[in-house]
Amino acid sequence: MDTKETQEFVEKKKTENESSTRITWNRPLEFLLNVIGYNVGLGNVWRFSYLCYKNGGGAFLIPYLLVAGFCGLPLLFQEVALGQFTKHSCFGAWDLVPLMKGIGISGLLLSWYFLSYIMVVMAWVVFYIVHSFTTGPLPWSTCDNDWNTDSCRPSIILNDSKNLNTSLLNVTSANTTTSTEEFWNNYVLRRTEGIHDMGTFTNWRMILCFAFSWIVCYLCVLKGIRTTGKVAYVTVIAPYIMMFVLLIRGATLEGAGTGVLFYITPRLDKLADPNVWLDAGGQVLYSLAVCFAVLYGLGSYNKFNTNCYKHAYMCVSACCGTSVFVGFIIFCFVGHMAFEQNKNISDVAEGGPGLVFEVFPAGLTLLPLPQLWSVIFFITLLFFAIDSAFGSIEGCAALLEDFRPQWIERYGPQFGRVVVSLFPLCLGIPMLFDGGIYVFELVNMYGSSGICILFAAFCEAVALAWIYGVDRFFDNVKSMIGYYPSSFFKYCYLYVIPAITLTIFVACCARYGPLKLGDYEYPLWANVVGWMMTISVMIGIPLVAMKELLDGKGTMKQRWERATTSRFTREKSSEDSEETSCIYEEKV
């Protein structure tokens, strides 16, 4: 497409945006809050802090921030800008390069897998909130409950001689379990021996919490962005207020300073370990939620002249800043737990859901008024989960609106939100069985794993820079915000992002091993099912590309040109042909 055609393309998109019936955010702040709320999720609470501890403390921040700047920021800007420019979701936006429309299918499946397990996490959080409203001891702090075993030891006991809370963990043997572990495994999960034994579907308390979680999220998206725009003022801002309260409380605890020092002290020798860089790359892409199709949809509701370039910097800064900030809170409490238990911090900290649902509840029982702090902590987590969930639903609904607009016209926008919720709802049900935690981890590690995200990110960068053209993309951005983005972004799209994502993708595949959950190793058939989920996410991109080429006419070169030419150019060529035909007929 030459300069003249590019200008005509931009002018047509401006006219389409002005006459578009697609609703827009009432104000840019609503868009910002929704993107920040979607990006800042539970992964910022449990995953970042653990990876920071695991990979050299403060030294991990170096690769993390580098990957965020060179890879995460440009990709987030690309997705929001394409959605804003085309006024379409991920599926419609890639009409710019029809060959790569499979990116939309890949993003939809990533979001579905993510939604299926984030709603289960939300149900767990609701479960803990309900059990925090008690006038007695927190139920996970004692061993006199129906779900406890003879080997149970309470997380804390009251030392009558000193009237101080003293941990019993430092006197328990290897054959005992703590009350927080038994509450989590025996009461919340009703955990079985493995994925081969799914147990029963009789945990009605958890089923009710799961249903409640879906109802809350559906109410948040009831009227589309008109609802989510208002809800975000509460669900995004309130957690930060609560986190400040938790930070102040945590900083006053004994041992908090030791925990913070452990968190920020750089062990620079770790930078030579390639696994540190792999973990940093995976965490950045996961926490910024690029390639999940949602950012395109949220960006498509922007007005055409919204400064999405400035907003991209603000969103990435908020997400990465929140991760670092939450790390201080986590390690204040972990440091206090290590002090109370007379242990090293490395023996207390752990990753995954266990940090949130085992370690942290045990830490809360050490505080005065533990019921209050438990409610504050888990409500904060609830808001994080709500933001991530309803952002995903809204982004997927926008994609369905582009994929099957006739359905929306016939049945209304609510029909689209119901349809996109059905698959993750059904996939989440097996996670409510007694052995559901094994299904949860399978979907978490394979369905929306780093391998899937890295592959999709590589395809996005290559499609934009090498097929559509990064200069043409910059022209599109200039037509919206009035100036060109930094040339730094150009080189990131052309070289840096493809190199980083491809390198980490190959390394992740090379170091792959069978999935484990604690000491339990998944059987072969379960790993095969997991790889089928991974392939289902990635295969859409090459399949759609092949379809575009096979459906074309002419030589392979002509088919390639057609598949890499935007739909607008095809429409323009068709309009020009019709106009020429009409002129010829008039002359005749």
Side-chain angles (χ1 to χ4, degrees), residues 75-398:
L75 281 173
L76 184 142
F77 168 63
Q78 169 188 332
E79 295 191 1
V80 173
L82 287 178
Q84 179 175 316
F85 180 73
T86 61
K87 275 293 181 182
H88 286 294
S89 68
C90 183
F91 191 79
W94 282 107
D95 273 338
L96 297 173
V97 185
L99 185 77
M100 303 304 292
K101 288 197 71 170
I103 292 174
I105 299 174
S106 175
L108 176 64
L109 288 172
L110 275 172
S111 291
W112 273 350
Y113 288 133
F114 171 76
L115 261 175
S116 67
Y117 70 77
I118 198 64
M119 297 306 295
V120 175
V121 175
M122 191 171 164
W124 293 340
V125 172
V126 172
F127 196 89
Y128 273 83
I129 291 174
V130 171
H131 285 79
S132 297
F133 285 98
T134 176
T135 57
L138 290 170
W140 53 82
S141 65
T142 63
C143 287
D144 54 356
N145 305 288
D146 295 338
W147 58 84
N148 293 126
T149 64
D150 294 336
S151 60
C152 175
R153 294 294 181 270
S155 297
I156 59 168
I157 58 172
L158 189 65
N159 188 321
D160 294 329
S161 60
K162 295 182 180 180
N163 198 29
L164 293 173
N165 283 329
T166 306
S167 173
L168 204 83
L169 294 178
N170 55 347
V171 297
T172 55
S173 67
N175 295 324
T176 63
T177 55
T178 65
S179 55
T180 51
E181 288 180 88
E182 294 205 349
F183 181 84
W184 169 243
N185 289 316
N186 300 344
Y187 187 56
V188 179
L189 300 179
R190 299 187 181 181
R191 186 170 174 173
T192 60
E193 295 298 321
I195 196 170
H196 60 280
D197 178 15
M198 289 299 294
T200 62
F201 190 68
T202 57
N203 193 348
W204 61 268
R205 296 178 182 84
M206 188 55 61
I207 296 171
L208 288 177
C209 291
F210 182 72
F212 174 80
S213 300
W214 271 107
I215 292 171
V216 168
C217 283
Y218 185 77
L219 291 177
C220 289
V221 298
L222 187 62
K223 295 183 179 180
I225 65 171
R226 290 291 173 262
T227 306
T228 59
K230 302 296 185 294
V231 171
Y233 283 106
V234 177
T235 58
V236 176
I237 296 175
Y240 285 95
I241 297 173
M242 295 180 181
M243 284 191 295
F244 270 108
V245 174
L246 288 170
L247 178 64
I248 293 171
R249 183 66 187 97
T252 62
L253 298 172
E254 290 184 282
T258 305
V260 171
L261 285 176
F262 185 92
Y263 171 54
I264 65 174
T265 301
R267 299 192 290 281
L268 297 179
D269 59 299
K270 284 282 190 176
L271 293 178
D273 185 356
N275 290 330
V276 175
W277 294 85
L278 297 181
D279 286 341
Q283 174 62 13
V284 166
L285 296 179
Y286 180 82
S287 62
L288 291 178
V290 294
C291 305
F292 280 75
V294 175
L295 295 174
Y296 291 90
L298 297 180
S300 71
Y301 298 124
N302 277 338
K303 295 178 181 177
F304 188 75
N305 297 116
T306 299
N307 195 334
C308 54
Y309 181 64
K310 178 180 68 176
H311 288 170
Y313 279 95
M314 296 171 67
C315 292
V316 173
S317 299
C319 183
C320 296
T322 301
S323 294
V324 176
F325 176 67
V326 169
F328 282 98
I329 301 173
I330 295 294
F331 277 89
C332 280
F333 282 87
V334 170
H336 178 61
M337 289 183 65
F339 172 80
E340 288 287 341
Q341 299 170 13
N342 194 25
K343 288 185 175 183
N344 293 324
I345 292 178
S346 57
D347 296 327
V348 176
E350 61 176 275
L355 178 62
V356 175
F357 297 107
E358 289 185 68
V359 175
F360 220 88
L364 294 173
T365 61
L366 300 172
L367 303 177
L369 296 176
Q371 299 87 349
L372 173 64
W373 297 110
S374 181
V375 169
I376 292 175
F377 175 71
F378 284 109
I379 287 181
T380 302
L381 296 186
L382 179 64
F383 283 146
F384 279 148
I386 289 174
D387 288 331
S388 298
F390 76 63
S392 299
I393 295 173
E394 193 59 45
C396 292

